[in-house]
Amino acid sequence: MAPTLAEPFNDSSALTDFVINKGNGVKGLSEMGLTALPKQYIQPLEERMCMTNINIPQESIPIIDMSNWEDPEVAKSICDAASEWGFFQIVNHAVPVEVLENVKDATYRFFSLPAEEKNKYSKKHSSSNNVRFGTSFSPQAEKALEWKDYLSLFYVSEEEASALWPPVCREQVLDYMKKSEVVIKQLLDVLMKGLNVNEIDETKKSLLMGSVRTNLNYYPKCPNPEFTVGVGRHSDVSTLTILLQDEIGGLFVRGNQGDDWIHVPPIKGSLVINVGDALQIMSNGRYRSVEHRVVANGSKNRISVPIFVNPRPGDVIGPLPELTASGEKSIYKQVLYSDYVKHFFQKAHDGKKTVAFAEI
């Protein structure tokens, strides 16, 4: 049998050197024209996407028109979606389409940079933990790697972003974050009222959205996409995640039946919203943070740009006092948010297991 191009990477140290140390990422592997997936990316059978369990036309996550977000019916739709699905798409929101298109273009520009340029932002070379180029999720903890490269940008201040973020995408990401803030506040306002928390004071605002991180995700086309994943099963550790996806598709959400997966179809100009673990914990389980995953694609490159809206690292999260004051029993303890996040990043993606860290 003729050797395949995957063979140079039968040796894990050669793969680590090419993908991680030299900054080529999986994009570099994809562009080599591999005919077979390197074994380090082959997921165990139980983690691969069984296409027979995919719920494509029958069911879809809710699509909510935000053009009149103060309408009680819209507010009810948002709270119901957060309770029942944990995921929904919004259309006619306040973020201009050109802002979304600009940040998608900027994502492609960043990943088109030479490997040595991108590598300046890797864990080994970046001048700040707040700017990180990487690949997979947590390579040191994973038995099988994920087919994804990313740039993670943690927002501290305009000054730091100007000094440290890559110039090819800095302005577009900042614009996307700023313009999305209106929508984030609207959504949190509605979701808090749904819990009878009628005022978001400065302390609550900090707890709900005190820190913000944006990722630029790149999923290059993949040989043998059926053997790997773009992102494994997980729920987010955020309060809310606001996701911009391109027209390719590939995001799947765990359905309410438990063993089915629902595709989230790309809708031009829409944003996908999902509840994160922090909001599930603060809402005492009323709002659901739901497992989701991304499949690899055999024919096209895909990008997505999530904004993760989080508590600050030093905040303590637990069920909101307004919920427990009326006698509701807490199902979560008070946990330091940075401890929760650390626990999440110390292991491979493992579905919803992280939330057990906060259970009583």
Side-chain angles (χ1 to χ4, degrees):
M1 189 173 134
T4 69
L5 274 173
E7 282 186 4
F9 299 114
N10 282 342
D11 171 9
S12 278
S13 61
L15 181 111
T16 300
D17 189 53
F18 179 81
V19 172
I20 298 174
N21 299 341
K22 292 193 170 133
N24 289 290
V26 284
K27 182 174 187 280
L29 288 179
S30 176
E31 289 171 351
M32 288 176 76
L34 298 180
T35 55
L37 192 69
K39 66 178 189 295
Q40 295 87 342
Y41 290 90
I42 295 176
Q43 295 285 331
L45 266 172
E46 65 273 14
E47 294 303 331
R48 296 179 204 170
M49 194 70 167
C50 175
M51 297 316 262
T52 54
N53 278 357
I54 291 177
N55 197 331
I56 289 198
Q58 302 90 321
E59 231 176 345
S60 172
I61 64 166
I63 297 165
I64 299 172
D65 186 334
M66 293 282 285
S67 49
N68 187 11
W69 71 273
E70 290 175 313
D71 181 340
E73 283 305 307
V74 174
K76 183 178 185 305
S77 300
I78 291 167
C79 295
D80 287 352
S83 306
E84 292 165 27
W85 293 90
F87 262 85
F88 51 98
Q89 293 206 65
I90 57 172
V91 295
N92 297 324
H93 47 75
V95 189
V97 172
E98 60 269 23
V99 171
L100 304 181
E101 292 304 316
N102 289 345
V103 83
K104 286 197 278 190
D105 291 344
T107 301
Y108 273 112
R109 275 202 303 280
F110 175 78
F111 287 102
S112 298
L113 290 172
E116 56 273 19
E117 275 298 306
K118 290 182 288 196
N119 210 21
K120 289 177 184 172
Y121 303 99
S122 66
K123 184 174 184 177
K124 194 172 175 183
H125 301 293
S126 181
S127 54
S128 167
N129 278 335
N130 298 332
V131 182
R132 177 64 46 80
F133 166 65
T135 190
S136 193
F137 170 64
S138 190
Q140 69 285 355
E142 291 165 320
K143 290 190 175 71
L145 298 170
E146 300 178 350
W147 194 260
K148 178 189 91 166
D149 297 330
Y150 66 86
L151 175 70
S152 182
L153 300 167
F154 185 89
Y155 181 80
V156 174
S157 67
E158 190 99 20
E159 294 71 37
E160 183 182 285
S162 296
L164 301 180
W165 290 12
V168 292
C169 58
R170 179 174 57 221
E171 298 308 323
Q172 294 79 10
V173 174
L174 283 170
D175 199 25
Y176 172 48
M177 288 171 80
K178 280 182 203 150
K179 299 287 195 315
S180 299
E181 199 174 325
V182 179
V183 182
I184 292 161
K185 285 178 175 164
Q186 287 172 345
L187 290 169
L188 286 171
D189 188 57
V190 166
L191 289 164
M192 287 300 104
K193 286 194 168 102
L195 300 174
N196 293 319
V197 177
N198 292 317
E199 193 203 342
I200 300 180
D201 58 19
E202 282 307 307
T203 308
K204 277 230 170 45
K205 184 180 170 191
S206 163
L207 188 63
L208 293 166
M209 54 183 295
S211 72
V212 180
R213 179 165 62 90
T214 304
N215 271 22
L216 309 185
N217 295 329
Y218 189 86
Y219 305 92
K221 63 182 180 185
C222 175
N224 315 120
E226 67 281 9
F227 293 150
T228 191
V229 294
V231 178
R233 299 178 301 113
H234 71 289
S235 59
D236 294 344
V237 292
S238 56
T239 304
L240 283 182
T241 302
I242 288 79
L243 174 77
L244 171 64
Q245 57 171 349
D246 66 11
E247 70 287 351
I248 308 298
L251 170 65
F252 287 84
V253 174
R254 178 75 84 179
N256 292 328
Q257 306 311 311
D259 60 350
D260 59 332
W261 289 93
I262 296 167
H263 186 235
V264 179
I267 298 170
K268 192 168 175 60
S270 77
L271 291 167
V272 180
I273 311 296
N274 65 278
V275 171
D277 291 354
L279 184 55
Q280 176 172 317
I281 291 163
M282 287 190 264
S283 71
N284 207 27
R286 294 204 205 170
Y287 297 140
R288 294 176 60 213
S289 165
V290 170
E291 259 186 283
H292 49 288
R293 67 201 308 189
V294 174
V295 297
N297 191 301
S299 59
K300 289 178 174 158
N301 302 320
R302 175 181 183 265
I303 58 163
S304 69
V305 190
I307 297 175
F308 300 100
V309 180
N310 313 298
R312 291 175 308 178
D315 284 330
V316 172
I317 60 168
L320 292 168
E322 288 87 345
L323 300 176
T324 52
S326 57
E328 190 173 311
K329 192 172 183 306
S330 292
I331 55 175
Y332 301 107
K333 59 192 176 193
Q334 303 285 319
V335 295
L336 182 66
Y337 185 64
S338 60
D339 286 348
Y340 190 86
V341 173
K342 194 168 159 191
H343 178 64
F344 176 70
F345 281 105
Q346 274 173 344
K347 56 191 177 48
H349 280 141
D350 56 4
K352 278 285 290 176
K353 288 185 183 167
T354 310
V355 84
F357 183 80
E359 286 169 356
I360 288 175

